[in-house]
Amino acid sequence: MNDMSNGGGDRRIHPGSGRRNAPVFPKGRLLKDDERTAVAELLGDRPRQRDLLIEYLHLIQDAEGCLPAGHLQALGAELRIPMAEVFEVASFYAHFDIVRDGEARPAPVTVRVCESLSCMMAGAEQVISELENGALENVRILRAPCMGRCDTAPVCEVGHRHLDHITSEEVLNAAKRGDTHPHIPEYTNFKTYEKEGGYSVLKQCLSGDRTVEDVIDLLSDAGLRGLGGAGFPTGRKWSFVRAEAKPRLMAVNADEGEPGTFKDRYYLETNPHAFLEGMLIAAWAVEAETVYIYLRDEYPAAREILLMEVAAVVEAGLAAHTRIELRRGAGAYICGEESAMIESIEGKRGLPRHRPPYVAQVGIFNRPTLVNNVETLYWVPDILKQGAEWFASQGKNGAKGLRSYSVSGHVKEPGVKLVAAGTTARELVEDHCGGMSDGHAFKGYLPGGASGGVLPESMADIPLDFGTLEEHGCFVGSHAVVILSDKDDIKAVALNLMKFFEDESCGQCTPCRNGTEKAVKLMSNGEWNPQVLEDLSCVMADASICGLGQAAPNPLRSVIKYFPEDLK
């Protein structure tokens, strides 16, 4: 009789196996010591908090060029969470590359070429085709959604470095050089901003020279609204959050992913301290214990700037009343929706929450949370310094305040246009963008990015403000204006936008997940069936959980309504 205890192993019964003489063996993948050591060294003395999961996934991705399965398992062990939970979060975000055991790692250099509307209008498809045909052995070419650089289209990202007005030759040369680090533009740093009078309003708030009630009243009288898309009155939002029980938190939505939108990036990369001062005033007003800045991963230069300048603010003692945490997105447009952003801040998949309750009541870690957009906070110091009337009187056509319109498409001078709220698309083209590009005639425009709908040139004299476009089935949203010309195929424009929504749907609800996919198939079949597409649009708009699915049909519906001649 063979003695199994003598070199042969112990044949004990595996608990719960229901089988006698079943050998003991560990279930699943075995974690190796070198994997555990590598991840532990990457994390260093950083806290092992569950909400930092996405930050630590970025650490691994940046160090390894991917997410090896062993490192994911080791990260789960470090954070004491199941391996399956780590995998489900990592697989949700587009910028993470999971590599399972036995699989080849991706190429050392990844080139992401934007295929969203403004870039496609500028010739991105030809560049992508040339890159795919002439790609280097160690370079991976990927199609990517909007990168927030629509005014310099077509664009791409080589590693973490953006290139503007690209040609395939320039992109491949940058990849050969390994030119993958972000370019930091010139901007107003802490020393210069403070020397020019910056942070004086924050100091008045912290010293008691200004009261919270007076600050909120001033912002309300000025007509400052949420400029991320919803347009909710800022003063009222601050009051709602302040009325909730402590402890309270704050989140800054810097996940500017709407195709056609790039104003927040502009302010973060030119004058970050105006935004930071506004943010710190807001945190003081609602007594937020912690402020989370959620910045999209497509803005690496802005991230480097914020890391440096937030450190300078903290060192100067101007953030003693709160704690600032910079959180990095990972390639998910849905995280621009405030509840999905909060889920991501908590280290989870960015799935929108059902509401009510609203985030002002139950937000980050189930605490009352103030959520504001970058540009909204940017205006706070100036309004408090120069008065409500100064800001409110800047508007026109019944609107209040100044607005930053992101203008791209077929105009001679695209870019961020700081003009009066209520400015029309025609005025933007003719008075602020140098007119249409040579050889192009104004045909239509997107008044509010991908989800804001499409209007014809004959309706270009409508003031672009909250509440002025809804009767036409459109909205101004984040004030992203894309100008179309007679050279554009309007059906192709709508299809490009619907493909974006299909790719970016989080998949949580059936109307959006299946609706966008079905719409793309129907729109790709040459001749459209308006009634079938309208029925599908109704289901998506009425039954989707969040704004992505609810707004996805807007371009489709408006093209059918306002461009019937283009459907033939």
Side-chain angles (χ1 to χ4, degrees), residues 15-92:
S17 67
R19 294 170 51 208
R20 291 187 177 277
N21 300 322
V24 172
F25 58 90
K27 289 187 175 180
R29 187 184 185 282
L30 287 176
L31 180 59
K32 299 174 183 177
D33 288 341
D34 60 336
E35 295 165 343
R36 185 189 295 273
T37 300
V39 171
E41 289 178 352
L42 271 178
L43 267 57
D45 59 359
R46 294 178 176 87
R48 270 52 172 175
Q49 295 174 200
R50 168 65 182 79
D51 61 292
L52 290 171
L53 173 58
I54 295 172
E55 291 297 303
Y56 295 159
L57 290 172
H58 275 301
L59 279 179
I60 298 173
Q61 176 84 28
D62 289 344
E64 299 290 327
C66 62
L67 297 177
H71 286 62
L72 293 181
Q73 185 178 6
L75 181 58
E78 286 285 330
L79 299 181
R80 297 182 180 276
I81 57 178
M83 186 177 177
E85 196 169 329
V86 178
F87 264 83
E88 77 168 7
V89 172
S91 61
F92 181 85

Side-chain angles (χ1 to χ4, degrees), residues 104-328:
R105 294 194 175 200
V109 177
T110 294
V111 175
R112 288 185 167 89
V113 186
C114 178
E115 65 170 355
S116 288
L117 183 59
S118 295
C119 283
M120 295 307 288
M121 291 164 59
E125 188 61 49
Q126 180 179 345
V127 175
I128 292 172
S129 177
E130 292 173 357
L131 288 173
E132 289 174 341
N133 292 329
L136 304 172
E137 182 179 348
N138 294 322
V139 177
R140 176 175 59 158
I141 307 298
L142 297 178
R143 293 171 177 264
C146 186
M147 297 179 180
R149 309 181 76 84
C150 315
D151 54 331
T152 57
V155 302
C156 77
E157 190 177 18
V158 181
H160 291 304
R161 188 179 189 88
H162 284 98
L163 301 178
D164 300 324
H165 301 298
I166 58 172
T167 65
S168 57
E169 182 180 1
E170 291 170 344
V171 174
L172 292 175
N173 286 338
K176 285 179 185 177
R177 294 192 303 268
D179 200 1
T180 59
H181 297 291
H183 167 70
I184 309 300
E186 291 187 10
Y187 67 93
T188 303
N189 61 21
F190 174 76
K191 185 177 180 180
T192 302
Y193 182 77
E194 189 176 39
K195 185 178 180 180
E196 294 174 350
Y199 289 107
S200 60
V201 178
L202 173 63
K203 291 173 183 176
Q204 292 169 0
C205 294
L206 296 177
S207 67
D209 290 344
R210 291 179 184 264
T211 67
V212 173
E213 291 73 20
D214 288 343
V215 166
I216 290 177
D217 287 345
L218 249 175
L219 297 179
S220 298
D221 292 343
L224 182 64
R225 306 178 70 166
L227 298 174
F232 194 85
T234 302
R236 194 187 309 173
K237 179 183 282 191
W238 289 18
S239 296
F240 286 164
V241 175
R242 186 172 168 79
E244 297 293 326
K246 297 180 182 179
R248 309 181 194 111
L249 300 172
M250 179 177 171
V252 176
N253 192 340
D255 192 64
E256 182 181 49
E258 182 77 12
T261 311
F262 46 92
K263 61 185 177 62
D264 289 350
R265 177 185 63 80
Y266 172 78
Y267 288 122
L268 289 172
E269 291 183 356
T270 56
N271 192 9
H273 286 283
F275 148 68
L276 288 173
E277 183 175 7
M279 178 191 79
L280 290 169
I281 291 171
W284 161 79
V286 302
E287 299 176 82
E289 289 186 352
T290 304
V291 180
Y292 296 88
I293 304 174
Y294 189 85
L295 180 69
R296 67 184 309 215
D297 197 32
E298 290 85 349
Y299 289 175
R303 181 172 180 269
E304 294 297 321
I305 291 171
L306 286 175
L307 286 171
M308 291 185 287
E309 300 309 316
V310 166
V313 170
V314 172
E315 186 178 354
L318 295 172
H321 60 293
T322 191
R323 183 165 58 95
I324 304 172
E325 293 214 10
L326 180 59
R327 294 295 175 88
R328 184 176 167 190

Side-chain angles (χ1 to χ4, degrees), residues 362-486:
V362 182
I364 303 171
F365 308 129
N366 296 321
R367 296 180 180 180
T369 301
L370 172 66
V371 177
N372 274 142
N373 163 262
V374 169
E375 192 197 354
T376 304
L377 296 170
Y378 178 89
W379 288 115
V380 169
D382 269 350
I383 292 173
L384 297 182
K385 191 179 297 183
Q386 302 190 56
E389 179 61 24
W390 164 80
F391 186 77
S393 64
Q394 304 282 345
K396 61 192 300 185
N397 296 318
K400 286 186 176 183
L402 292 165
R403 292 292 160 77
S404 305
Y405 294 90
S406 305
V407 186
S408 62
H410 297 299
V411 291
K412 290 181 179 177
E413 301 169 11
V416 174
K417 307 299 176 180
L418 179 57
V419 295
T423 296
T424 69
R426 195 181 309 281
E427 289 171 332
L428 286 172
V429 172
E430 296 178 356
D431 301 337
H432 304 285
C433 294
M436 295 293 293
S437 299
D438 291 338
H440 291 265
F442 191 6
K443 181 173 183 177
Y445 66 105
L446 278 65
S451 53
V454 187
L455 292 173
E457 177 272 339
S458 60
M459 300 175 69
D461 297 307
I462 301 171
L464 297 177
D465 190 30
F466 300 108
T468 62
L469 299 168
E470 281 73 4
E471 64 178 297
H472 306 294
C474 299
F475 55 80
V476 74
S478 59
H479 297 73
V481 181
V482 184
I483 304 299
L484 309 176
S485 82
D486 56 339

